[in-house]
């Protein structure tokens, strides 16, 4: 069939369409995006589990770039859980102020370190069950700490990018991060759980942005029910 004069004939790639059930589309989306972002990884800088924990707490409603700016000096000053407890709370707040919400974050960091000292012998715990008992730690933070600091993968970290893309692509219709995680865990192969978190984050930053997604540049627009092309 010849396309009308002046229009562009779009060739639909083989395989499932954007109207197909997510169970059919998910494997292709995972494969294509993983190939598109082969070097996807956590952007936060850290050298041990405590630094990973603190950086992730600080990253809430803050860019990774700003967190890395703050932690460059913070981690030289605070090297152990006890350091966060010895320092006056106002001093810690001042040190992390550029990340925003510093009152709440300082309280969370100090409370988490207090429990690490009192319950876990000064060592950041390495299980989901224990990590989520720390102040300021929900499943997202626990998944990030476990995967990056310990090489343990128990789920998929759902941040704002992952939530947005999971909804747009039809992986999940939920708004609660824990429910979105369950949907993703059902659809994404377990050996891709860890990497796919950062693949979605990179795609969310580069193409599938919040306000005006660049659908024309998206390698999975033919599989996305929200695509505008």
């Amino acid at each position: 069939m010849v396309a009308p004069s002046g229009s562009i004939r779009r060739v639909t790639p083989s395989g499932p369409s954007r109207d197909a059930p997510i169970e059919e589309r998910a494997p292709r989306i995972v494969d294509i995006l993983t190939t598109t972002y082969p070097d996807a990884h956590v952007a936060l800088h850290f050298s041990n589990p405590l630094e990973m924990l603190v950086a992730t707490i600080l990253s809430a409603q803050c860019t990774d770039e700003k967190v890395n700016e703050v932690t460059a000096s913070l981690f030289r000053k605070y090297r152990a859980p006890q350091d966060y407890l010895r320092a006056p709370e106002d001093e810690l707040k001042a040190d992390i102020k550029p990340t925003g919400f510093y009152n709440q974050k300082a309280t969370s960091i100090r409370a988490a370190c207090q429990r690490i000292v009192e319950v876990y012998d000064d060592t950041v715990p390495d299980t989901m069950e224990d990590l989520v008992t720390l102040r300021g730690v929900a499943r997202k933070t626990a998944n990030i700490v476990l995967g990056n600091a310990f090489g343990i993968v128990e789920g998929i970290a759902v941040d704002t990018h992952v939530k947005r893309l999971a909804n747009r692509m039809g992986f999940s219709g939920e708004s609660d991060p824990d429910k979105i995680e369950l949907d993703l865990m059902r659809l994404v192969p377990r050996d891709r759980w860890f990497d796919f978190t950062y693949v979605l984050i990179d795609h969310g930053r580069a193409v599938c942005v919040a306000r005006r997604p660049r659908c024309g540049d998206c390698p999975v627009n033919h599989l996305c029910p929200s695509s505008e092309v």
Side-chain angles (χ1 to χ4, degrees), residues 25-44:
R25 293 185 290 113
R28 288 293 295 142
I29 292 174
V30 173
D31 286 344
I32 293 171
L33 289 182
T34 300
T35 300
T36 304
Y37 303 96
D39 300 319
H41 62 278
V42 68
L44 297 172

Side-chain angles (χ1 to χ4, degrees), residues 60-197:
Q61 302 186 61
C62 181
T63 66
D64 291 341
E65 291 80 8
K66 178 57 67 176
V67 172
N68 289 336
E69 287 179 17
V70 170
T71 57
S73 57
L74 189 75
F75 291 160
R76 290 195 295 269
K77 181 176 181 179
Y78 302 86
R79 297 177 179 274
Q82 293 90 340
D83 294 332
Y84 291 97
L85 300 176
R86 293 191 191 105
E89 187 168 356
D90 287 344
E91 183 176 339
L92 176 58
K93 289 178 180 179
D95 289 336
I96 65 173
K97 186 174 182 178
T99 68
F101 300 94
Y102 55 93
N103 289 322
Q104 178 181 336
K105 290 176 181 179
T107 298
S108 293
I109 290 170
R110 286 168 59 86
C113 287
Q114 187 73 47
R115 184 168 176 81
I116 289 170
V117 169
E118 293 179 350
V119 180
Y120 299 110
D121 298 322
D122 304 343
T123 302
V124 176
D126 61 359
T127 69
M128 177 67 72
E129 181 181 11
D130 289 333
L131 277 170
V132 296
T133 68
L134 303 179
R135 177 75 175 264
V137 178
R139 280 193 62 93
K140 183 202 81 172
T141 298
N143 274 318
I144 292 172
V145 173
L146 286 174
N148 289 283
F150 298 106
I152 298 172
V153 181
E154 291 198 12
I156 297 175
V158 178
D159 76 342
T160 55
H161 296 290
V162 175
K163 177 181 178 179
R164 181 174 70 255
L165 270 63
N167 289 158
R168 283 180 175 172
M169 294 180 185
F171 279 94
S172 177
E174 301 290 346
S175 59
D176 178 79
D178 289 350
K179 293 180 179 178
I180 293 173
E181 182 187 7
L182 289 175
D183 288 336
L184 287 169
M185 290 166 64
R186 176 176 63 86
L187 294 163
V188 178
R190 187 180 181 93
D191 63 352
R192 298 283 187 90
W193 286 359
F194 177 68
D195 292 339
F196 199 57
T197 291

